[in-house]
């Protein structure tokens, strides 16, 4: 249904935004230029971390 398509698109956009924020925070913390960080590499790291269980939404930082 169209509603579910919109929901999936918003989900992808939210994930993209979250990865970009993590990339910017990491670049700032490490002193690197954020434009030099690979989105594909960040996506792979995020997927690996989630699959391994290193990330827990309920965990406080």
């Amino acid at each position: 249904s169209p509603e579910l398509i919109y929901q999936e698109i918003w989900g992808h956009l939210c994930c993209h935004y979250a990865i970009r924020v993590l990339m910017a925070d990491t670049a700032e913390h490490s002193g690197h230029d954020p434009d030099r960080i690979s989105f594909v590499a960040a996506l792979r790291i995020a997927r690996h971390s989630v699959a391994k269980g290193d990330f827990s939404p309920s965990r406080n930082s």
Side-chain angles (χ1 to χ4, degrees), residues 27-57:
E28 182 181 339
H29 180 72
S30 65
H32 289 89
D33 181 9
D35 295 329
R36 304 287 300 163
I37 297 175
S38 166
F39 180 81
V40 174
L43 178 62
R44 286 183 185 143
I45 291 167
R47 283 181 178 169
H48 181 73
S49 295
V50 170
K52 230 172 77 172
D54 291 342
F55 172 76
S56 172

Side-chain angles (χ1 to χ4, degrees), residues 1 4 7-9 12-14 16-20 23 25-27 32 35 38 41 45 50-51 58:
S1 71
L4 293 178
Q7 182 179 357
E8 187 166 347
I9 290 170
H12 283 281
L13 289 172
C14 289
H16 183 269
Y17 178 77
I19 291 171
R20 287 290 184 186
M23 290 169 63
D25 290 347
T26 301
H32 289 89
D35 295 329
S38 166
I45 291 167
V50 170
S58 62

